[in-house]
Amino acid sequence: MSSVDPDATNVGLDVLRRGGNAVDAAVATAAALGVTEPYSAGIGGGGYFVYYNARSRKVYTIDGRETAPATMPSDAFVDPATHAAYPFAQLVTSGVSIGVPGTLATWDKALKQWGSLSLGKALKPAADLADRGFVVDPTFRLQTLENKDRFAQVVPTAKLFLPNGDAPQVGTLFKNPELAATYKLLGQQGPSAFYSGALAGEMAAVAKNPPKTPDATLPFFPGYLETSDLASYKAIDRTPTKVRYDGLDVYGMPPSSSGGTTVGEALNILQPQHLRQQSTTQALHTYLEATALAFADRGAYVGDPAYVDVPLKELLSRGFGAERSCLIDPQHAATKPVAAGSPDGRYSRCAKGSAVEQRPDTEGRSTTHMVAADKWGNVVSYTLTIEQTGGSGITVPGRGFLLNNELTDFSAVPDPKDPNRVEAGKRPRSSMSPTIVLRGGKPYLALGSPGGSTIITTVLQTLTNRLDRRMTLPEAIAAPRASQRNTASVTAEQAFIDRYGASLAPYGHTFTPAGVPGSSAAEIGAVAALEFLPGGAILAAAEPSRRGGGAAGTAWPLK
């Protein structure tokens, strides 16, 4: 069991000790993360659930991504006076950014299909945790302070997260009895209490009329969420993505996520390059070039498959990967942005691509990830989010949870050629990349990360660190990170720049620090992972320091 938080990990471990399976533990842990990581996850958001069933030896996925309301227009983010997008900071803290939450539907669907616990029993440990409280750590206080200005402008958010006008002090106990009561209600009445009835009405009401303070300076654009949107929401079973990499089967999340396609394509690009035979500097150059190529194709082709004809088979084909791979110059970084390729089934070496425009990245980075495995061999890799740190900033009054700002993942300005343009009922493209790797049909690795569009590069870099650069799993997770998403400069942690910047400069790579030192943005990702060792042992690993350090552990069943 591994997650970003010790209290949440302990909840999952206790479920396993008491005979629960990996799905039970995953849902219980995710609910606990809604308590201790309320700015990253919770029932006001959505996510993607990847599950390996030991009995069938198959991988399954659930798409619990948020959807745009049915009445949302394509120009919802555009200022009619200027015909340009509203400032991103204004869209984030508003009703217009709130999508229909999918997390609770995901939990319910996973438990009914593969779990052994009822929803009520799975939620009870988190409800108890919310009642008794958890000890505030520096990360929780820092994230609160980073959001203080906007939280202070929302009445119920300020009441819950800024008691006495300040972020909770490190070492104090933070309780959320409102969330505890909400979890108990959902445990007793099931998802219908969330997707219909009083709670659904309250969510729609605050989205349409955000509860701002009288002196609020943000515009708080009203949203389009209706109770009918909530009542019609469905989490979707989808076929996972799959690629072969050095004899391993790598499974990921298909669209509406771009995680599985982009990680998978990047691995296909890297396969002919034989990273393990390259020096450290050469391997990092190759990795950065591969992700730029894969991101070009992500931007051109991937969106909600209900609205976009995604060439999924071709994006993940070895032929397309090899065609893209031959564009990597071993000595020089390509000028970015590179062009998208043509996944048309007709592949030749070094084919020309089509022009691509560099688009701004607005995907929120404050997601969370957890992994779980049980004594029967079942495995879960689950990434969930409310988007930006603190989501929309809007807490449902009296209910103890924040609503997402997930719709800002759409491209703000309508473009008929953009697969990620705003459309009513559509799921915005995501980068969440919960991943399970099989060797000989059995689990070998399970991993994922938060981090917006850097999730893809974090998962890929961790995989290549472990598989190609001969690092142990803890070393692969701890290594400094860089993220090339088809932009002129590579976003990187300062530790990566310090260690590798000079050696990569002759290739033409330039680097931009991920964020201001000391801020939460300065770190890229926060991996939680499992490795299945010979003889049946499991290595659980988490971040040693990012986001205050994660927590990983294993459990013996109670007698």
Side-chain angles (χ1 to χ4, degrees):
M1 188 84 227
S2 179
S3 82
V4 300
D5 179 79
D7 289 309
T9 294
N10 286 334
V11 162
L13 289 173
D14 191 57
V15 169
L16 293 171
R17 289 188 191 100
R18 296 178 183 278
N21 65 26
V23 173
D24 303 325
V27 172
T29 300
L33 287 168
V35 178
T36 60
E37 292 266 311
Y39 308 145
S40 301
I43 53 176
Y48 297 101
F49 195 99
V50 178
Y51 169 64
Y52 171 82
N53 183 284
R55 180 173 294 178
S56 66
R57 298 180 71 167
K58 292 183 178 180
V59 178
Y60 304 86
T61 77
I62 299 174
D63 181 338
R65 181 65 157 162
E66 300 87 339
T67 60
T71 59
M72 187 172 186
S74 60
D75 60 354
F77 296 151
V78 176
D79 185 341
T82 65
H83 303 291
Y86 288 110
F88 181 70
Q90 294 182 359
L91 292 173
V92 168
T93 313
S94 71
V96 75
S97 69
I98 297 172
V100 185
T103 291
L104 188 69
T106 301
W107 295 350
D108 185 61
K109 191 176 190 68
L111 288 170
K112 286 178 177 175
Q113 291 184 157
W114 310 303
S116 67
L117 296 182
S118 66
L119 180 64
K121 288 183 178 179
L123 293 181
K124 187 179 185 304
D128 293 343
L129 177 60
D131 260 334
R132 70 174 180 268
F134 64 92
V135 177
V136 172
D137 64 8
T139 299
F140 186 84
R141 177 168 170 81
L142 173 63
Q143 291 179 340
T144 310
L145 290 172
E146 289 176 338
N147 284 279
K148 184 177 180 180
D149 288 347
R150 67 189 191 112
F151 281 5
Q153 297 180 51
V154 186
V155 175
T157 306
K159 176 185 175 184
L160 180 59
F161 296 113
L162 296 172
N164 302 315
D166 188 21
Q169 296 291 328
V170 174
T172 61
L173 202 61
F174 184 85
K175 299 181 179 182
N176 193 340
E178 293 176 349
L179 181 58
T182 301
Y183 277 166
K184 291 172 187 176
L185 171 70
L186 299 176
Q188 293 165 359
Q189 299 185 15
S192 62
F194 185 88
Y195 290 102
S196 61
L199 180 49
E202 292 163 16
M203 286 188 282
V206 297
K208 286 184 283 190
N209 185 22
K212 61 183 180 180
T213 60
D215 59 349
T217 57
L218 287 167
F220 285 97
F221 304 118
Y224 298 90
L225 185 66
E226 300 282 354
T227 55
S228 56
D229 296 310
L230 288 151
S232 62
Y233 182 85
K234 296 288 186 296
I236 302 172
D237 291 314
R238 297 197 189 275
T239 302
T241 62
K242 176 187 175 184
V243 298
R244 291 276 290 177
Y245 186 73
D246 283 347
L248 303 171
D249 294 317
V250 183
Y251 289 87
M253 193 67 214
S256 58
S257 178
S258 65
T261 58
T262 314
V263 170
E265 182 189 343
L267 288 171
N268 282 337
I269 293 170
L270 290 171
Q271 182 79 57
Q273 299 287 333
H274 304 293
L275 283 193
R276 66 182 57 189
Q277 298 175 15
Q278 298 181 2
S279 68
T280 295
T281 303
Q282 187 70 48
L284 289 172
H285 163 71
T286 305
Y287 151 74
L288 294 171
E289 293 298 279
T291 59
L293 291 162
F295 264 84
D297 299 323
R298 167 189 180 268
Y301 301 112
V302 181
D304 184 342
Y307 293 75
V308 179
D309 186 13
V310 182
L312 187 62
K313 180 180 178 181
E314 297 303 328
L315 286 172
L316 292 172
S317 69
R318 284 202 169 187
F320 183 59
E323 182 176 88
R324 301 295 274 158
S325 183
C326 75
L327 298 178
I328 296 177
D329 184 328
Q331 301 300 325
H332 302 96
T335 301
K336 312 298 189 305
V338 297
S342 299
D344 53 12
R346 299 185 299 273
Y347 304 122
S348 60
R349 303 296 286 179
C350 299
K352 292 182 179 180
S354 56
V356 64
E357 177 184 353
Q358 182 174 321
R359 292 192 174 103
D361 172 29
T362 59
E363 194 167 343
R365 301 178 63 179
S366 191
T367 308
T368 194
H369 181 81
M370 46 80 47
V371 286
D374 60 35
K375 62 183 179 181
W376 299 283
N378 304 304
V379 182
V380 171
S381 184
Y382 181 28
T383 312
L384 61 161
T385 186
I386 59 172
E387 183 61 1
Q388 217 70 22
T389 306
S392 66
I394 299 172
T395 300
V396 183
R399 301 297 191 173
F401 66 92
L402 287 153
L403 289 169
N404 68 84
N405 68 295
E406 211 69 59
L407 301 186
T408 57
D409 274 358
F410 283 122
S411 302
V413 178
D415 178 352
K417 297 180 181 179
D418 187 348
N420 194 41
R421 64 186 180 276
V422 177
E423 295 181 80
K426 189 177 185 179
R427 296 172 189 235
R429 182 173 60 209
S430 171
S431 295
M432 287 183 269
S433 307
T435 301
I436 293 177
V437 181
L438 304 185
R439 181 166 58 185
K442 295 183 179 181
Y444 174 47
L445 294 170
L447 72 160
S449 175
S453 57
T454 67
I455 293 172
I456 291 168
T457 55
T458 296
V459 169
L460 181 66
Q461 190 174 359
T462 304
L463 281 172
T464 58
N465 284 348
R466 177 68 190 94
L467 301 177
D468 297 309
R469 298 182 61 201
R470 297 177 178 83
M471 296 183 189
T472 65
L473 183 60
E475 289 170 343
I477 292 171
R481 296 188 183 124
S483 181
Q484 170 51 277
R485 290 159 288 162
N486 202 24
T487 55
S489 181
V490 181
T491 301
E493 294 177 329
Q494 190 61 50
F496 185 96
I497 298 171
D498 293 343
R499 187 177 301 181
Y500 303 114
S503 60
L504 286 167
Y507 292 83
H509 295 288
T510 59
F511 296 92
T512 301
V516 176
S519 71
S520 58
E523 300 169 338
I524 296 177
V527 173
L530 301 175
E531 181 172 342
F532 299 84
L533 305 173
I538 298 175
L539 171 63
E543 291 288 350
S545 59
R546 293 181 182 96
R547 282 172 68 154
T554 56
W556 293 100
L558 292 175
K559 294 182 179 180

